[in-house]
Amino acid sequence: MENPVIILGAQAVGTAALDAFQSNDVVVYCLLDDDAALQETELNDVPVMGNTDDKELLKLLGKKCEVFVATEDTASRRSLTNMLREEYSVAPVNAIHARASVSAHAWLGHGNLVGANAVVTGTARLGDGCILGANAVVDVKAEVGDYAQLGAGAILNAGVTVGEQAFIGAGAVIVAGVKIGAKARVGAGSVVVADVAAGQTVFGNPAQKV
């Protein structure tokens, strides 16, 4: 990546994204965050400079800087991504840690974060704005919808489908072929052996509706 990156969000997701870019020696120009307590501070020697809608900095996008959306809230990530496309005609870049393994035969949308030691195998698909924690695995023919999140060590076995904005907790295992509906939530450490309906929360081994 030739241009430096501006990261929108300086909390947990922003920290992980910064680590991913720095692992690849990509220059991060600054971070922006709406929390005033974080502004005028530094994160890994990179300044946190202002709000996520700072037009003076955002006007650099597309010509001099790339952008990555790293706000904590899924709705905020989606809203900011749409704003960037509509007002600045740019799409967020992917933040893929140098120690992650992403197959050349996988398909990735825009603005995905793939953490250290995460694996995305051949024929797997990630939509836009997905977050894969460290050591997460997306196996062959698995599909992850837009703005879905996989916690550290979560495993999607072959042919699993995860709907938009679903959340898979750390260490959860989704058995091959299972479908996780949109906005569903899977508790940390769960083993999911049956389909989960949209908006449903499940937990346990085997996972049961909460």
Side-chain angles (χ1 to χ4, degrees):
M1 193 178 302
E2 294 182 2
N3 290 334
V5 178
I6 294 174
I7 298 176
L8 307 186
Q11 300 180 46
V13 178
T15 301
L18 177 60
D19 184 50
F21 286 122
Q22 290 183 327
S23 75
N24 289 288
D25 295 323
V26 173
V27 175
V28 175
Y29 182 75
C30 69
L31 300 98
L32 302 177
D33 198 283
D34 295 335
D35 185 346
L38 294 174
Q39 295 169 12
E40 308 303 326
T41 66
E42 290 189 347
L43 186 60
N44 294 2
D45 298 323
V46 178
V48 182
M49 296 181 68
N51 292 323
T52 55
D53 60 356
D54 187 319
K55 298 193 182 305
E56 285 302 306
L57 287 168
L58 294 181
K59 70 182 183 182
L60 299 173
L61 301 180
K63 298 175 182 178
K64 297 182 178 179
C65 289
E66 306 292 345
V67 65
F68 184 84
V69 180
T71 51
E72 303 298 299
D73 178 65
T74 300
S76 172
R77 289 206 309 279
R78 181 188 287 272
S79 174
L80 282 169
T81 299
N82 289 339
M83 178 273 290
L84 291 168
R85 286 179 168 143
E86 292 168 6
E87 296 186 24
Y88 299 93
S89 300
V90 296
V93 294
N94 289 317
I96 300 173
H97 199 283
R99 294 202 311 274
S101 175
V102 177
S103 171
H105 302 289
W107 188 92
L108 275 67
H110 299 286
N112 296 296
L113 170 60
V114 183
N117 301 313
V119 176
V120 182
T121 61
T123 69
R125 295 177 64 90
L126 301 183
D128 294 333
C130 299
I131 297 176
L132 274 61
N135 300 297
V137 176
V138 182
D139 209 345
V140 295
K141 296 185 178 179
E143 297 188 11
V144 182
D146 295 346
Y147 302 99
Q149 183 169 343
L150 276 63
I155 297 174
L156 306 184
N157 283 295
V160 166
T161 302
V162 175
E164 292 188 11
Q165 300 183 57
F167 176 84
I168 313 297
V173 177
I174 315 299
V175 172
V178 165
K179 293 179 173 58
I180 308 296
K183 297 185 179 180
R185 297 181 67 83
V186 175
S190 297
V191 178
V192 183
V193 298
D195 292 354
V196 178
Q200 196 171 89
T201 298
V202 299
F203 179 74
N205 180 10
Q208 303 289 330
K209 182 179 177 180
V210 175

